[in-house]
Amino acid sequence: MGVPSISQPIMRDQELLAPTYNLEDFPDQVALLLPLSGDYKREGESIQNGFLSAHYSLSDDKQGIKKIKIYDTQEFQDTVAAYDQALEDGADFVVGPLLQDSVNNLAKKIAFSVPVLTLNSLDNDEPLIRMYQFSLSSVDEAISTSNKVIIDQNKIGLIIAPDNEWGHQLEEIYTTTLESMGGVIIESQFYNQNEKDFSSELKELLAQNIDPQEHRNDQQVLDRFKASNTFLSIASNWFEIKQTKIAKTTSISLWRSLENHILPSLGHRPIDKITAPETI
């Protein structure tokens, strides 16, 4: 069935359980592999601070980990060398690396004597012994936050992102993801990541008369919003709900009928532009 290729991103469970601390076999020494210098220093430091804050927020009797040793992956020839150094220093659990290129490099080991929890995912889905992938990728973040935005009934927005490769990638991911869910990004603005005052970028947006609150009913915005609601988008959302209420074989047959007889001619059309004679 062709549903997965066009269905909307899956909503994440909003009723996450609170963490429990009844684990008995904490590793004695954990190695944290992060980029703490170079282009991704800020991201690495953020994760380092969060990791250490979470650890030291626990009372002494719940701090199962006795030692945390931190390694700057940018100081090693490759990630394999950083991992090997951590093991030589006595680590019995490794967290990281963060960057996808580093994870791909580490995967060359194929099997690991000490388990590793990476903070990104491999290019392929090939499983590796004792490598566990916990992705913090921009795509996952965009899908998660876009879900929240749409759930809160906020469908019109602006994007303000750093003026670098990562920022432009984020802008593209958020725009594509939000619009696939029925939202609209009406303008994007990029800022110098070395600056701390972003008022000039905000003033520039407002100077263009782009204020989502004041111009929510602006005809141009409405036109763009309607254009994003194609028959395919509406049909996909409807089918996601419908297939949970009917038998699997019936849902497969139903979607195939849509694919074969309706979507080829009407799938790309805005829903409000389809006329009655076209549906006959």
Side-chain angles (χ1 to χ4, degrees), residues 120-140:
N120 213 312
S121 56
L122 293 169
D123 286 333
N124 55 57
D125 296 327
E126 182 179 354
L128 296 175
I129 299 173
R130 308 191 88 181
M131 174 186 270
Y132 307 96
Q133 301 170 52
F134 178 69
S135 177
L136 296 175
S137 70
S138 300
V139 175
D140 286 346

Side-chain angles (χ1 to χ4, degrees), residues 40-59:
Y40 294 94
K41 175 182 177 181
R42 180 178 297 181
E43 289 79 5
E45 289 178 341
S46 295
I47 294 175
Q48 171 188 256
N49 294 339
F51 191 93
L52 295 177
S53 295
H55 174 70
Y56 290 112
S57 68
L58 301 175
S59 58

Side-chain angles (χ1 to χ4, degrees), residues 27-34 51 65 67-71 82-97 114-117 119:
D28 289 332
Q29 181 170 320
V30 170
L32 195 55
L33 310 185
L34 295 170
F51 191 93
I65 301 172
K67 186 176 183 179
I68 299 173
K69 195 171 178 67
I70 301 170
Y71 300 82
Y83 175 87
D84 290 342
Q85 183 62 55
L87 267 60
E88 185 177 331
D89 293 342
D92 46 15
F93 195 90
V94 176
V95 177
V114 167
V116 55
L117 175 67
L119 301 179

Side-chain angles (χ1 to χ4, degrees), residues 82-200:
Y83 175 87
D84 290 342
Q85 183 62 55
L87 267 60
E88 185 177 331
D89 293 342
D92 46 15
F93 195 90
V94 176
V95 177
L98 172 64
L99 306 179
Q100 187 174 58
D101 287 345
S102 298
V103 175
N104 289 330
N105 176 260
L106 184 60
K108 294 177 182 178
K109 288 186 70 70
I110 302 178
F112 301 86
S113 57
V114 167
V116 55
L117 175 67
T118 68
L119 301 179
N120 213 312
S121 56
L122 293 169
D123 286 333
N124 55 57
D125 296 327
E126 182 179 354
L128 296 175
I129 299 173
R130 308 191 88 181
M131 174 186 270
Y132 307 96
Q133 301 170 52
F134 178 69
S135 177
L136 296 175
S137 70
S138 300
V139 175
D140 286 346
E141 291 292 336
I143 292 175
S144 179
T145 53
S146 295
N147 281 337
K148 175 62 175 173
V149 168
I150 296 300
I151 289 172
D152 290 346
Q153 301 298 312
N154 298 313
K155 295 188 176 183
I156 302 173
L158 303 172
I159 290 178
I160 302 177
D163 191 11
N164 55 23
E165 182 180 359
W166 178 68
H168 285 267
Q169 288 176 348
L170 275 182
E171 189 269 344
E172 182 178 355
I173 292 169
Y174 271 105
T175 299
T176 302
T177 305
L178 271 170
E179 290 185 350
S180 74
M181 297 178 180
V184 176
I185 298 298
I186 55 178
E187 186 63 43
S188 298
Q189 184 65 254
F190 298 94
Y191 63 85
N192 184 340
Q193 63 269 27
N194 296 320
E195 299 291 337
K196 295 184 178 180
D197 182 3
F198 309 137
S199 58
S200 61

